[in-house]
């Protein structure tokens, strides 16, 4: 037989049929070996019941949310789907529920895990499957309409919601050279710095997309070329996102935008502290050259992030204090041109 797969095991027989059990002559008579998982349950009840609900835990199936973002000039179309991988699980004519959240587990069972992989089956594909969403405890539950059959090794995709049209912003970021902790080192050479791309999808409240909590998963970004064919321009993972919170998706590095950074001066001095001991004060100047080969003016954020005591002493572009650790410079770079940012930082440790 030809081995088609190992998880689960699948074998193609000489006559063309596919078997999920290993071929060959059995070593023991079939009646002496329990092949399938078997459970024997005895129930006692004080009164007659027409039905009894039985639940049990099993492994095999898992799911993940998948989002498709088609970028237009100013707005994007977003669609979401649940991708269910049956793995080794086989259920027929089942009601499927998908749980999204981080659920703790008892000690000795692997610790906390993300419930993106939790598929709950209660037991044929419906012509049209819809999904209902509700909050249960601190998690979100997605219930598929109709009944579904899961087959080992088969992946099933179900739409989570109707496509939504949202506004978005494209952002460009150059990260700084100042280390987050420790001393401020001296750098001698000019270095190339990547210009990172991200897209922020706006999700205001009282909109269909904004009022919808999003299960963690993978988002793929597409944009049409001149012939109208969709091209993949980015892929980003996202965590569980509550309703009303914007969605920020990373999309790689820019092609037509480049950046170079060089440290142009560096000084240090040490002085004593009133309570004893010493501290080091370092001052450094940086020059960041940003070039834009595209046909439109672009704004690039240059961001320095540092913990502890530090400050931007001077800069050629106004410094914006985003938080106690982040300072940002917003630099406009003309079409087919360049802009130069100069700034000085002071670090104490």
């Amino acid at each position: 037989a030809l081995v088609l797969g190992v998880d689960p095991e699948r074998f193609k027989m000489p006559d063309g049929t596919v078997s999920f059990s290993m071929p060959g002559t059995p070593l023991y008579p079939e009646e002496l070996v329990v092949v399938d998982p078997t459970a024997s349950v005895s129930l006692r009840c004080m009164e007659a019941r027409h039905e009894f609900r039985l639940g049990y835990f099993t492994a095999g199936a898992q799911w993940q949310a998948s989002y498709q973002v088609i970028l237009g000039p100013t707005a994007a179309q977003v669609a979401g789907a649940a991708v269910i991988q049956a793995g080794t699980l086989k259920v027929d004519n089942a009601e499927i529920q998908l749980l999204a959240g981080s659920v703790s587990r008892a000690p000795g069972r692997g610790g906390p895990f993300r419930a993106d992989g939790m598929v709950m089956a209660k037991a044929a594909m419906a012509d049209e499957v819809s999904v209902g969403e509700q909050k249960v405890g601190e998690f979100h539950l997605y219930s598929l309409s109709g009944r579904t059959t899961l087959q080992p090794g088969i992946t099933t995709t179900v739409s989570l919601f109707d496509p939504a049209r949202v506004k978005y912003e494209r952002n460009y970021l150059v990260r700084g050279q100042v280390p987050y902790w420790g001393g401020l080192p001296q750098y001698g050479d000019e270095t190339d710095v990547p210009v990172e791309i991200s897209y922020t999808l706006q999700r205001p409240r009282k909109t269909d997309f904004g009022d919808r909590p999003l299960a963690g998963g993978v988002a793929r970004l597409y944009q049409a070329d001149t012939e109208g064919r969709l091209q993949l321009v980015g892929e980003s993972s996202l965590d569980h996102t509550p309703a009303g919170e914007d969605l920020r998706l990373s999309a790689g590095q820019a092609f037509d935008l480049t950046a170079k950074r060089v440290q142009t001066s560096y000084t240090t001095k040490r002085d004593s502290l009133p309570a004893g001991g010493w501290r080091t004060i370092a001052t450094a100047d940086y020059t960041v050259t940003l070039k834009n080969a595209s046909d439109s003016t672009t704004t690039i954020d240059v961001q320095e992030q540092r913990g502890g005591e530090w400050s931007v002493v001077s800069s050629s572009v106004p410094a914006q204090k985003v938080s106690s650790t982040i300072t940002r410079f917003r630099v406009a770079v003309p079409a087919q041109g360049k802009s130069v940012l100069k700034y000085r930082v002071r670090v104490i440790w």
Side-chain angles (χ1 to χ4, degrees):
L2 175 66
V3 179
L4 299 179
V6 296
D7 189 15
E9 291 183 341
R10 303 183 296 282
F11 305 91
K12 186 175 182 180
M13 310 303 290
D15 60 359
T17 61
V18 176
S19 172
F20 285 90
S21 59
M22 187 174 295
T25 304
L27 298 178
Y28 300 95
E30 182 179 356
E31 62 271 11
L32 298 182
V33 181
V34 178
V35 179
D36 297 324
T38 303
S40 178
V41 181
S42 298
L43 301 175
R44 296 183 61 184
C45 188
M46 300 302 298
E47 59 183 14
R49 300 180 67 93
H50 293 290
E51 62 180 6
F52 187 85
R53 179 170 296 179
L54 174 66
Y56 62 93
F57 288 96
T58 186
Q62 61 181 354
W63 81 283
Q64 185 182 55
S66 176
Y67 301 95
Q68 181 190 69
V69 182
I70 301 177
L71 301 170
T74 59
Q77 179 177 284
V78 183
V83 180
I84 307 171
Q85 297 177 341
T88 58
L89 183 64
K90 182 180 184 301
V91 291
D92 297 319
N93 198 33
E95 297 177 6
I96 302 297
Q97 292 182 301
L98 312 172
L99 188 66
S102 298
V103 182
S104 64
R105 305 185 72 179
R109 296 200 60 190
F113 70 102
R114 286 170 64 105
D116 305 350
M118 183 176 289
V119 178
M120 293 168 286
K122 296 180 180 179
M125 292 295 293
D127 293 336
E128 182 177 353
V129 179
S130 61
V131 177
E133 183 270 333
Q134 60 178 302
K135 183 177 181 180
V136 178
E138 295 304 318
F139 314 107
H140 286 270
L141 184 67
Y142 299 86
S143 301
L144 277 60
S145 67
R147 291 180 176 270
T148 305
T149 295
L150 298 181
Q151 295 288 345
I154 301 299
T155 300
T156 303
T157 302
V158 179
S159 176
L160 288 174
F161 54 85
D162 293 332
R165 190 170 180 82
V166 300
K167 293 182 179 180
Y168 73 89
E169 293 180 355
R170 182 187 291 108
N171 308 107
Y172 300 99
L173 175 66
V174 171
R175 299 188 183 274
Q177 195 174 34
V178 177
Y180 191 84
W181 291 115
L184 179 65
Q186 184 176 13
Y187 302 97
D189 298 329
E190 184 180 58
T191 57
D192 294 322
V193 189
V195 180
E196 302 175 11
I197 314 169
S198 65
Y199 295 87
T200 301
L201 306 185
Q202 300 176 8
R203 294 182 358 105
R205 284 286 195 173
K206 297 183 179 180
T207 62
D208 180 62
F209 190 57
D211 289 338
R212 183 181 302 277
L214 301 178
V218 176
R220 295 176 177 86
L221 299 104
Y222 299 88
Q223 195 165 18
D225 58 19
T226 55
E227 300 296 329
R229 296 166 296 197
L230 293 180
Q231 305 294 337
L232 180 68
V233 296
E235 184 178 78
S236 177
S237 60
L238 65 148
D239 294 326
H240 302 305
T241 306
E245 185 172 318
D246 290 347
L247 199 61
R248 184 181 178 89
L249 304 174
S250 299
Q253 300 175 5
F255 189 101
D256 292 328
L257 303 176
T258 59
K260 293 182 179 293
R261 178 192 291 109
V262 62
Q263 188 183 73
T264 57
S265 71
Y266 179 81
T267 60
T268 61
K269 67 176 183 178
R270 300 186 69 191
D271 60 6
S272 59
L273 297 172
W278 296 85
R279 69 174 183 175
T280 301
I281 303 175
T283 302
D285 287 279
Y286 297 91
T287 297
V288 180
T289 303
L290 305 170
K291 292 185 178 181
N292 177 13
S294 69
D295 296 328
S296 58
T297 300
T298 303
T299 298
I300 302 177
D301 292 340
V302 179
Q303 178 178 291
E304 289 285 2
Q305 186 172 8
R306 166 81 183 185
E309 187 176 352
W310 75 289
S311 61
V312 175
V313 179
S314 61
S315 60
S316 60
V317 174
Q320 301 176 357
K321 193 78 170 176
V322 179
S323 68
S324 62
T325 61
I326 299 176
T327 296
R328 178 179 64 192
F329 309 93
R330 310 211 75 177
V331 184
V333 186
Q336 300 182 6
K338 71 176 184 178
S339 295
V340 177
L341 166 67
K342 297 182 178 181
Y343 60 96
R344 175 178 294 178
V345 298
R346 181 174 181 265
V347 178
I348 300 175
W349 71 93

